[in-house]
Amino acid sequence: MPQPQLLTNARLAMPVAPVDGRGAVVIGGDRILWVGPEDALPADYTSLARQDMEGRLITPALIDCHTHLVHGGNRAREFEMRLEGASYEDIARAGGGIVSTVEATRNASGDDLLAQALPRLDALLAEGATTIEVKSGYGLDRETELRMLRVARALGRARPVRLRTTFLGAHAVPKGQDGDRYIDEICIPTLQAAHDEGLVDAVDGFCEGIAFSPAQIARVFDAARRLDLPVKLHAEQLSHQGGCQLAARYRALSVDHVEYATEADARALAAAGTVAVLLPGAFYFLREAQLPPIAAFRAHGVPMALGTDCNPGSSPLTSLLLAMNMACTLFRMTPDEALRAVTIHAARALGLTDCGILAAGKRADLAVWNVETVAELAYRIGFNPLHARIFGGRAC
Ligand code: DI6
Ligand code: FE
């Protein structure tokens, strides 16, 4: 076992409890051995060579807990149509939207999809992310859903990153098909096939007027339960459909978007231990006006996470730092909340307990920033102050 590494003269954002003054981190292999104020460094470690962080801020490495990184093509033309007055839902109902990306994704080979996704992944890593979730959901047939998930796994081998895959077969009703038949005859059997191939870490759905009803999503969740897979849900994004209550009944890891969630939903989420994943990129890009009920989430103790929702239609965003800035400017989250939202709470939204926090025994996934405070991290727009990204104890 190589010598542990000792980082000193750092500012630490744990991010739950702050450390005042100079902080130090001891890393052994891929784990944090010790973290705390430098003057409390245990005697065992004082003789290690010091790597002087020169007062930089160290946070847990960032976690993007909601992306659709793997997809074919882009929807810049729909962006122009929306600028001309069409709504996101109008475009979806007219055969554009998710199903147009489905066509582009079906027509792309695995190699094409990988090549298109890598620059997006690299953009996230360049800002200090080490754990990324990737969803399927632009195949809506067995072959393409499996291809998307295999590409997601391949992304995890192509870069030093921890990749978590989510099966999102219930994302949209394929053109010309009946929603109920699609769920029972394609979506659920495809979930089984993807699980058999070891491609699924969690199961998601889109509960919305333009997608699936709570009753349809419940059938997908029952299938997930039979496979012992955790669930999450795109819920209450464009309207209130009852997705949060459904997700809470299934003890979902997270409900995502949730602009139209209510106080009663917040109570149910808190009781179920479900994380609310806020996606300010989609809120911004679709020029939504309905704000997620942040005050109710705070009051009831619902953990809030943030993701990019990186996707071609509603959030072509590949920056968690910008998501943090947007969460503060648009949703009035505090910078400390925004940091917890892309670290410890994002980990929880993925069912992970070994990362997202600076604590002994956790993974040594750290980000070192050329800033002094958490507020400084959240307030800049379009500037990347990352000094170093440490993944499993290695700077890379
Ligand atoms: N909600 C979203 O924001 C993405 N999926 C979803 O269910 C949008 C997907 C798209 O427009 O391509
Ligand atoms: Fe999404």
Side-chain angles (χ1 to χ4, degrees):
M1 177 104 165
Q3 280 275 306
Q5 307 173 61
L6 170 58
L7 315 184
T8 57
N9 193 16
R11 291 179 166 84
L12 299 177
M14 306 289 267
V16 194
V19 164
D20 292 327
R22 289 163 163 232
V25 186
V26 182
I27 298 171
D30 67 354
R31 296 284 145 171
I32 296 172
L33 295 179
W34 186 87
V35 58
E38 202 170 317
D39 55 17
L41 186 69
D44 305 2
Y45 302 130
T46 48
S47 60
L48 292 171
R50 289 168 183 249
Q51 296 176 45
D52 186 348
M53 295 293 108
E54 299 172 333
R56 294 186 179 90
L57 181 73
I58 298 185
T59 68
L62 306 190
I63 297 170
D64 195 345
C65 63
H66 184 139
T67 87
H68 308 252
L69 270 193
V70 175
H71 58 258
N74 71 74
R75 304 232 293 276
R77 177 59 201 137
E78 288 181 14
F79 176 56
E80 290 180 308
M81 284 162 70
R82 284 195 298 107
L83 293 174
E84 288 156 12
S87 77
Y88 181 72
E89 285 152 296
D90 291 340
I91 292 170
R93 291 211 165 88
I98 293 174
V99 296
S100 73
T101 297
V102 168
E103 206 172 301
T105 305
R106 286 180 180 172
N107 289 332
S109 68
D111 286 347
D112 287 344
L113 292 174
L114 185 69
Q116 290 178 53
L118 273 172
R120 298 190 277 266
L121 175 62
D122 286 339
L124 293 169
L125 303 190
E127 286 188 351
T130 57
T131 302
I132 314 275
E133 185 253 22
V134 175
K135 300 176 195 296
S136 70
Y138 289 119
L140 310 184
D141 63 23
R142 185 187 180 110
E143 187 191 325
T144 318
E145 287 293 306
L146 293 176
R147 183 156 76 244
M148 288 185 74
L149 292 167
R150 289 184 200 122
V151 168
R153 289 277 194 242
L155 284 171
R157 293 187 296 269
R159 293 290 186 269
V161 66
R162 192 173 186 194
L163 233 292
R164 303 293 288 181
T165 55
T166 300
F167 176 77
L168 177 58
H171 194 196
V173 181
K175 227 177 235 170
Q177 290 191 32
D178 171 72
D180 280 313
R181 283 192 65 176
Y182 169 73
I183 292 289
D184 297 330
E185 293 173 17
I186 297 174
C187 180
I188 292 173
T190 300
L191 167 59
Q192 176 74 56
H195 175 71
D196 290 346
E197 217 182 296
L199 294 172
V200 186
D201 297 321
V203 176
D204 196 350
F206 188 19
C207 186
E208 191 54 67
I210 54 170
F212 296 99
S213 67
Q216 290 168 329
I217 296 290
R219 299 213 292 281
V220 178
F221 282 4
D222 286 334
R225 192 176 264 175
R226 287 193 293 275
L227 300 174
D228 210 16
L229 289 169
V231 298
K232 345 169 37 78
L233 189 62
H234 287 67
E236 340 292 6
Q237 178 187 4
L238 307 167
S239 60
H240 190 271
Q241 298 279 333
C244 283
Q245 298 289 339
L246 173 78
R249 281 203 296 284
Y250 283 82
R251 304 219 162 258
L253 291 175
S254 71
V255 286
D256 300 45
H257 290 285
V258 294
E259 280 86 343
Y260 285 83
T262 62
E263 172 112 30
D265 292 335
R267 233 177 278 123
L269 297 173
T274 299
V275 176
V277 176
L278 308 178
L279 303 167
F283 177 90
Y284 162 83
F285 196 65
L286 299 182
R287 304 185 73 224
E288 296 291 336
Q290 174 82 23
L291 284 164
I294 303 281
F297 292 150
R298 282 190 188 124
H300 295 285
V302 178
M304 291 182 278
L306 286 168
T308 59
D309 196 13
C310 176
N311 76 69
S314 69
S315 185
L317 171 66
T318 48
S319 168
L320 274 173
L321 290 178
L322 185 50
M324 289 170 73
N325 175 273
M326 286 176 170
C328 297
T329 51
L330 300 173
F331 298 165
R332 314 314 281 166
M333 281 170 74
T334 68
D336 286 322
E337 283 175 327
L339 180 63
R340 286 196 289 277
V342 293
T343 55
I344 180 101
H345 292 164
R348 190 164 156 185
L350 297 177
L352 300 174
T353 54
D354 63 349
C355 60
I357 186 167
L358 303 183
K362 303 297 181 185
R363 281 184 58 86
D365 292 348
L366 318 177
V368 186
W369 307 96
N370 287 313
V371 303
E372 296 184 358
T373 64
V374 172
E376 222 185 310
L377 201 57
Y379 104 111
R380 288 188 199 279
I381 303 169
F383 179 73
N384 182 3
L386 188 76
H387 172 72
R389 189 186 83 111
I390 299 173
F391 176 61
R394 285 164 191 256
C396 52

